[in-house]
Amino acid sequence: MEKIVKDVGDIQSRLIDHRPVLQGEIRYFIREFEEKRAFRECRLLENLNKMTSDTNEHDLPRCTESMHEKLCDALTRLEAANHMAQRIQQRELEAEQNTHLQVCAERRKQDWEEFLKEQSRLKEEVDEEHVKAVGRLSAQYNDMKKDLAKYSSF
């Protein structure tokens, strides 16, 4: 009877308690999922490795060469632009110096004109003094002639 009770207990536990069966199914599902996932991840990693290798072998040298050409071209253009900027700067400096020279020349011209005006004014003053001196001397000589004429009549 014990065996029957044991068998009835086993039957009852199988009919009512589904935990062991579910645990087995869950373990099977997890194992399948992990295997498929691992396979899928392995394929993804292989594809990434292949893509990286292709990029390193083909694209990277081509891009490096293209970049070198473009950088050389850019460097040449930058040097030309720098040279042009230096020439423009030199022209501006020369123009500024020419402007400075023109300003100095204008200033000298104005100074010369003022000098000539001053000399003309001084000449007129000297001429006036000369005319006055000649007038005084003429008057003095006329007076002396009159005085001499007075004495010569004696």
Side-chain angles (χ1 to χ4, degrees):
M1 178 108 158
E2 257 182 60
K3 191 169 180 155
I4 295 178
V5 172
K6 186 177 175 189
D7 287 338
V8 171
D10 282 344
I11 291 173
Q12 178 190 6
S13 71
R14 283 188 180 200
L15 287 174
I16 295 175
D17 188 15
H18 300 294
R19 272 185 267 157
V21 174
L22 284 176
Q23 284 177 352
E25 288 294 321
I26 288 171
R27 274 189 238 116
Y28 173 76
F29 178 76
I30 289 173
R31 203 174 321 119
E32 285 292 316
F33 179 76
E34 286 177 348
E35 286 176 5
K36 287 179 182 177
R37 181 178 176 192
F39 181 68
R40 188 173 56 231
E41 287 178 355
C42 186
R43 277 190 316 190
L44 181 63
L45 288 174
E46 286 174 357
N47 287 340
L48 286 174
N49 188 23
K50 182 181 178 201
M51 193 172 14
T52 305
S53 296
D54 287 346
T55 301
N56 283 340
E57 291 172 3
H58 303 290
D59 296 340
L60 187 62
R62 191 179 72 234
C63 288
T64 304
E65 182 181 324
S66 176
M67 181 181 66
H68 182 68
E69 289 173 3
K70 299 296 180 187
L71 283 176
C72 288
D73 185 41
L75 180 64
T76 304
R77 289 181 182 192
L78 278 174
E79 287 173 348
N82 189 25
H83 181 69
M84 287 171 28
Q86 286 175 346
R87 284 183 27 213
I88 290 171
Q89 202 173 26
Q90 182 66 29
R91 285 183 193 155
E92 287 178 356
L93 183 62
E94 289 172 359
E96 185 178 302
Q97 288 175 347
N98 285 340
T99 303
H100 180 68
L101 290 176
Q102 288 174 352
V103 167
C104 289
E106 296 254 339
R107 192 177 309 132
R108 273 187 257 119
K109 186 176 179 182
Q110 288 174 352
D111 290 345
W112 180 253
E113 288 174 0
E114 288 177 19
F115 174 76
L116 289 178
K117 286 179 185 176
E118 180 69 18
Q119 291 300 315
S120 175
R121 185 184 63 78
L122 290 173
K123 179 186 171 267
E124 288 175 5
E125 286 179 10
V126 168
D127 286 347
E128 285 177 21
E129 287 180 27
H130 177 71
V131 167
K132 287 179 186 176
V134 167
R136 279 191 311 260
L137 286 175
S138 293
Q140 185 180 0
Y141 280 118
N142 284 338
D143 288 342
M144 287 171 69
K145 275 186 191 178
K146 286 182 190 176
D147 284 340
L148 189 60
K150 284 184 194 175
Y151 294 121
S152 37
S153 47
F154 291 117

